[in-house]
Amino acid sequence: QVQLVESGGGLVQAGGSLSLSCAASVRTLLMGWFRQAPGKERDFIAAISLSGGNTWYADSVKGRTTISRDGAKNTVALQMNSLKPEDTAVYYCAGTSRYRAYLVRARSEYEYWGQGTQVTVSS
């Protein structure tokens, strides 16, 4: 019943930037972004609270990544600069009605998932 749809993926030159967006059919307390490269686990990237007042970032992207949210429109965005080939992955949007700050980086905390969008960073 709950739908999350990512958009904005594609081919990006190394050193460039990406902007992804996710539209959700329901308003959730937490929204997050994960990514999965071929042969790799699905890893946490960033998360944000409903108000946008609290954000969390993975160490691997901190400093060059911004997550933002429009609670009224049920959308969440991910902006990442200084892209590297290792950023190549399928990026997933996720949401949850729970709010447990100490577990926002865990896949198991998220009830709803988008279909994913491919991001390819060329060298």
Side-chain angles (χ1 to χ4, degrees), residues 26-60:
V26 297
R27 190 174 302 169
T28 57
L29 289 177
L30 288 171
M31 296 290 291
W33 286 93
F34 291 73
R35 67 184 182 184
Q36 186 170 21
K40 302 287 187 177
E41 296 181 348
R42 188 173 298 186
D43 294 327
F44 170 81
I45 302 173
I48 188 169
S49 61
L50 178 61
S51 67
N54 296 98
T55 58
W56 299 263
Y57 295 94
D59 290 340
S60 60

Side-chain angles (χ1 to χ4, degrees), residues 40-98:
K40 302 287 187 177
E41 296 181 348
R42 188 173 298 186
D43 294 327
F44 170 81
I45 302 173
I48 188 169
S49 61
L50 178 61
S51 67
N54 296 98
T55 58
W56 299 263
Y57 295 94
D59 290 340
S60 60
V61 301
K62 194 172 185 178
R64 62 187 181 98
T65 301
T66 301
I67 187 170
S68 59
R69 181 173 185 172
D70 185 337
K73 297 181 178 179
N74 296 336
T75 60
V76 62
L78 183 74
Q79 298 170 283
M80 188 179 295
N81 303 319
S82 302
L83 291 174
K84 308 171 182 179
E86 50 262 44
D87 292 320
T88 295
V90 177
Y91 284 68
Y92 296 90
C93 177
T96 180
S97 60
R98 296 178 290 188

